[in-house]
């Protein structure tokens, strides 16, 4: 009985198994993937290589771009770059046919670039240590004896960008007590063949109060960066930093003058103008410069006569000594290159000694026009420019400047011998026609303490100061080599 039952049961199971057996899938790609044997290899799969290569390429590309930008920045902001001499000045003259427009554009450009740290600057170099050009002036060890004359920065807008160009001295101004527009335009003319200029600005100025406000803001800003206060500077707590320039080893000069409308024959009125400027500007200057030599203000040069000059300089010195600052500003007078008669020069020297002025800046623009070398032919436009009224500046003035420096040095020293022992030697600065290191050394050897440039910077560009100092070092090194060889 059991056997038929088992046989029937086996048949039933077989039928059921055939009914529930899995059917082949109609979607082949859903078939289970065969399992891959585990691998002991540490190599990456081929698909991981492209992302690594791409990242490496991206890194190299970014690095090269960054390096290129940095090198371009370093080159363009270095005063040694040739573009500052051979590209920028010609481009400015092309873009701004009017010389005064070019002047304003250059000032604004330097100011803007300085504010965003893209300004040209002289970077520290080992030659500053191995071949120093230091000189002591008014008790300050100047980093170098090259300065920038007044006229370039008339309103004290860019003293710090000018210091950044490598100058040991920067002179701002001239500044009049009250705002004045100066002479009608056009009033500045180029003579490119001579690297010269003629200007009759007429001491255009925003006035002493406006300049004082700018210089005071500058003082507060720089003092804050040095960890000082305005009171610290007044009290002389500056760690040896001059209170005017606020840069170690550098001096800030502020040039002052009378207003055009002030009658030059009324000496008391003239004195009042200069004293007003001293009162407002002395707290922010290392040296005050009395301008009595501009050819573009009627009657100004008449003040170089001994009697009125002595009175004027004496009043300026007295007011400067009242400055509310421990270190009082020094006073210098800027004299004309055209008053070169011995009698005129001796009168200036006498006024300097009798008034107590500390020094003389020899040179300014000249009214003379004997500046064209024999055989040189100028174009019609340049010939017309030379006929314009105003003061000429350029390389042609150098020989006159050199001559005057030597003569003033002898006259001033002769007075010091009569004054007796213990009297400080009067300081001389030279300006007029200085364009290279050889000329700078000549005026320094003739008795000047500082050689100053203006027109040379206009035509030579932002690297002019650096180039002049490099040429000076080269000349000094060559002279030393010749001395050793002998």
């Amino acid at each position: 009985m059991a056997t038929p039952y088992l046989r029937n049961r086996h048949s039933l199971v077989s039928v059921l198994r055939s009914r529930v057996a899995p059917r082949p899938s109609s979607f082949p790609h859903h078939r289970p993937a065969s399992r891959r044997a585990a691998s002991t290899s540490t190599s990456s799969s081929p698909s991981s290589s492209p992302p690594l290569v791409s990242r490496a390429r991206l890194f190299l590309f970014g690095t090269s771009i960054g390096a290129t930008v940095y090198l371009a920045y370093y080159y363009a902001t270095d005063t040694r770059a040739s573009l500052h001499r051979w590209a920028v000045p010609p481009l400015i003259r092309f873009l701004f046919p009017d010389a005064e427009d070019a002047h304003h554009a250059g000032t604004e450009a330097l100011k803007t670039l300085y504010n965003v740290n893209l300004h040209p600057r002289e970077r520290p170099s080992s030659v500053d240590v191995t071949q120093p050009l230091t000189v002591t002036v008014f008790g300050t060890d100047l980093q170098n004896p090259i300065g920038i004359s007044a006229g370039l920065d008339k309103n004290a807008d860019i003293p710090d960008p000018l210091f950044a160009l490598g100058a040991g001295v920067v002179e701002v101004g001239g500044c009049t007590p009250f705002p004045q527009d100066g002479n009608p335009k056009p009033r500045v003319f180029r003579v490119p063949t001579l690297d010269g200029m003629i200007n009759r600005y007429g001491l255009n100025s925003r006035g002493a109060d406006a300049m004082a406000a700018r210089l005071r803001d500058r003082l507060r800003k720089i003092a804050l960066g040095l960890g000082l206060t305005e009171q610290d500077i007044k009290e002389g707590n500056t760690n040896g930093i001059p209170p005017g320039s606020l840069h170690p080893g550098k001096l800030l000069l502020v040039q002052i003058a009378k207003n055009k409308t002030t009658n030059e024959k009324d000496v008391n009125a003239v004195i009042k103008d200069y004293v007003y400027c001293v009162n407002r500007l002395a707290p922010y200057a290392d040296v005050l410069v009395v301008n009595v030599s501009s050819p573009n203000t009627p009657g100004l040069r008449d003040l170089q006569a001994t009697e009125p000059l002595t009175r004027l300089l004496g009043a300026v010195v007295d007011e400067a000594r009242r400055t509310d600052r421990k270190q009082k500003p020094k006073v210098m007078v800027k004299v004309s290159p055209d008053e070169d008669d011995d009698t005129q020069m001796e009168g200036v020297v006498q006024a300097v000694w009798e008034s107590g002025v500390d020094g003389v800046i020899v040179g300014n623009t000249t009214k003379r026009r004997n500046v064209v070398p024999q055989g040189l032919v100028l174009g019609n436009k340049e010939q017309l420019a030379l006929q314009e009224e105003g003061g000429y500046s350029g390389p042609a003035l150098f020989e006159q400047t050199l001559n005057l420096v030597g003569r003033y040095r002898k006259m001033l020293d002769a007075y010091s011998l009569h004054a007796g022992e213990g009297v400080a030697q009067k300081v001389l600065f030279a300006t007029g026609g200085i364009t290279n290191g050889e000329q700078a050394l000549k005026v320094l050897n003739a008795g000047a303490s500082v050689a100053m440039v203006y027109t040379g910077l206009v035509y030579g560009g932002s690297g002019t100061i650096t180039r002049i100092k490099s040429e000076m070092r080269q000349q000094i090194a060559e002279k030393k080599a010749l001395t050793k060889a002998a």
Side-chain angles (χ1 to χ4, degrees):
M1 293 295 296
T3 302
Y5 171 79
L6 291 173
R7 189 181 296 115
N8 291 337
R9 183 181 176 188
H10 178 73
S11 300
L12 180 61
V13 169
S14 299
V15 171
L16 290 174
R17 281 180 176 173
S18 64
R19 294 289 180 97
V20 299
R23 296 181 180 179
S25 173
S26 60
F27 303 99
H29 59 280
H30 284 171
R31 286 179 296 180
S34 59
R35 296 186 63 185
R36 183 183 175 187
S39 172
T40 58
S41 171
T42 58
S43 62
S44 301
S45 64
S47 60
S48 64
S49 296
L52 288 176
V53 172
S54 297
R55 286 195 293 271
R57 288 175 178 171
L58 185 61
F59 174 77
L60 290 174
F61 178 74
T63 301
S64 63
I65 290 294
T68 300
V69 170
Y70 176 76
L71 289 174
Y73 160 80
Y74 192 91
Y75 175 79
T77 59
D78 197 302
T79 53
R80 294 170 294 180
S82 59
L83 69 88
H84 292 303
R85 183 178 187 183
W86 304 114
V88 175
L91 180 62
I92 290 176
R93 291 198 296 272
F94 174 77
L95 294 176
F96 301 96
D98 181 84
E100 183 171 355
D101 290 342
H103 183 177
H104 295 319
T107 299
E108 284 301 315
L110 277 176
K111 184 177 180 180
T112 301
L113 291 172
Y114 187 83
N115 289 337
V116 295
N117 198 34
L118 292 176
H119 60 289
R121 81 286 307 269
E122 184 181 83
R123 291 187 167 86
S125 172
S126 60
V127 296
D128 296 331
V129 177
T130 59
Q131 294 178 282
L133 295 173
T134 54
V135 60
T136 302
V137 177
F138 297 133
T140 297
D141 293 329
L142 291 185
Q143 292 180 7
N144 65 81
I146 306 301
I148 296 175
S149 294
L152 195 65
D153 185 11
K154 286 181 168 291
N155 296 293
D157 290 313
I158 53 170
D160 296 306
L162 294 181
F163 277 123
L165 300 181
V169 171
V170 169
E171 181 186 9
V172 300
C175 182
T176 55
F178 305 107
Q180 64 180 28
D181 294 331
N183 294 320
K185 300 179 182 180
R187 52 192 178 182
V188 188
F189 309 90
R190 301 186 185 107
V191 190
T193 302
L194 301 176
D195 283 350
M197 295 182 68
I198 293 171
N199 90 78
R200 53 169 180 262
Y201 271 118
L203 289 170
N204 51 313
S205 171
R206 297 176 196 156
D209 291 319
M211 181 179 283
R214 279 189 299 281
L215 290 175
R216 186 175 189 181
D217 287 344
R218 170 185 176 270
L219 182 150
R220 290 173 171 175
K221 182 178 179 181
I222 295 178
L224 184 63
L226 296 172
L228 303 172
T229 65
E230 189 173 357
Q231 190 62 32
D232 289 329
I233 293 170
K234 284 183 178 181
E235 295 174 357
N237 302 321
T238 59
N239 300 318
I241 298 174
S245 73
L246 299 173
H247 291 279
K250 300 188 177 186
L251 294 176
L252 178 67
L253 279 58
V254 177
Q255 184 190 115
I256 58 176
K258 77 175 189 70
N259 277 114
K260 183 178 180 179
T261 55
T262 302
N263 185 356
E264 68 280 357
K265 295 180 180 179
D266 185 348
V267 179
N268 290 329
V270 170
I271 289 174
K272 188 176 179 181
D273 271 13
Y274 283 91
V275 167
Y276 185 94
C277 289
V278 174
N279 182 269
R280 298 298 191 275
L281 299 170
Y284 314 109
D286 296 308
V287 181
L288 292 165
V289 179
V290 179
N291 182 356
V292 290
S293 57
S294 170
N296 302 312
T297 299
L300 187 64
R301 288 187 172 184
D302 295 341
L303 295 171
Q304 292 178 108
T306 306
E307 194 274 333
L309 184 60
T310 303
R311 288 179 58 192
L312 170 61
L313 295 180
V316 169
V317 169
D318 289 344
E319 187 66 22
R321 288 173 179 168
R322 297 189 188 100
T323 303
D324 184 20
R325 197 177 72 189
K326 182 177 180 180
Q327 186 175 333
K328 313 300 183 185
K330 301 295 184 179
V331 178
M332 301 184 77
V333 58
K334 193 166 195 172
V335 298
S336 164
D338 296 338
E339 275 63 53
D340 55 358
D341 180 84
D342 282 345
T343 303
Q344 292 172 314
M345 293 173 64
E346 287 171 357
V348 170
V349 171
Q350 180 182 338
V352 166
W353 275 103
E354 291 183 359
S355 65
V357 160
D358 302 289
V360 179
I361 298 182
V362 178
N364 205 323
T365 56
T366 179
K367 288 184 175 182
R368 298 171 182 172
R369 292 295 184 268
N370 56 336
V371 295
V372 183
Q374 188 174 2
L376 184 64
V377 178
L378 301 180
N380 290 333
K381 186 176 180 180
E382 291 181 314
Q383 290 181 22
L384 291 174
L386 277 178
Q387 295 174 21
E388 294 285 350
E389 289 189 11
Y392 175 86
S393 60
L397 289 181
F398 174 72
E399 292 301 328
Q400 174 72 339
T401 299
L402 181 61
N403 174 272
L404 290 174
V405 168
R407 291 166 64 192
Y408 267 112
R409 181 76 280 160
K410 290 179 182 178
M411 291 181 182
L412 287 167
D413 289 350
Y415 262 82
S416 68
L417 291 175
H418 294 299
E421 294 183 5
V423 178
Q425 185 186 49
K426 299 299 182 183
V427 174
L428 274 182
F429 288 4
T431 183
I434 299 168
T435 59
N436 58 51
E438 180 182 6
Q439 293 173 334
L441 284 174
K442 283 183 177 179
V443 296
L444 295 173
N445 290 332
S449 296
V450 173
M452 305 185 76
V453 300
Y454 172 56
T455 308
L457 191 64
V458 172
Y459 281 94
S462 300
T464 300
I465 305 297
T466 300
R467 174 178 55 80
I468 288 175
K469 291 190 293 185
S470 176
E471 292 168 352
M472 289 173 64
R473 290 187 173 101
Q474 184 177 353
Q475 291 249 330
I476 294 170
E478 291 174 355
K479 186 175 181 179
K480 286 182 178 178
L482 289 173
T483 303
K484 287 183 180 179

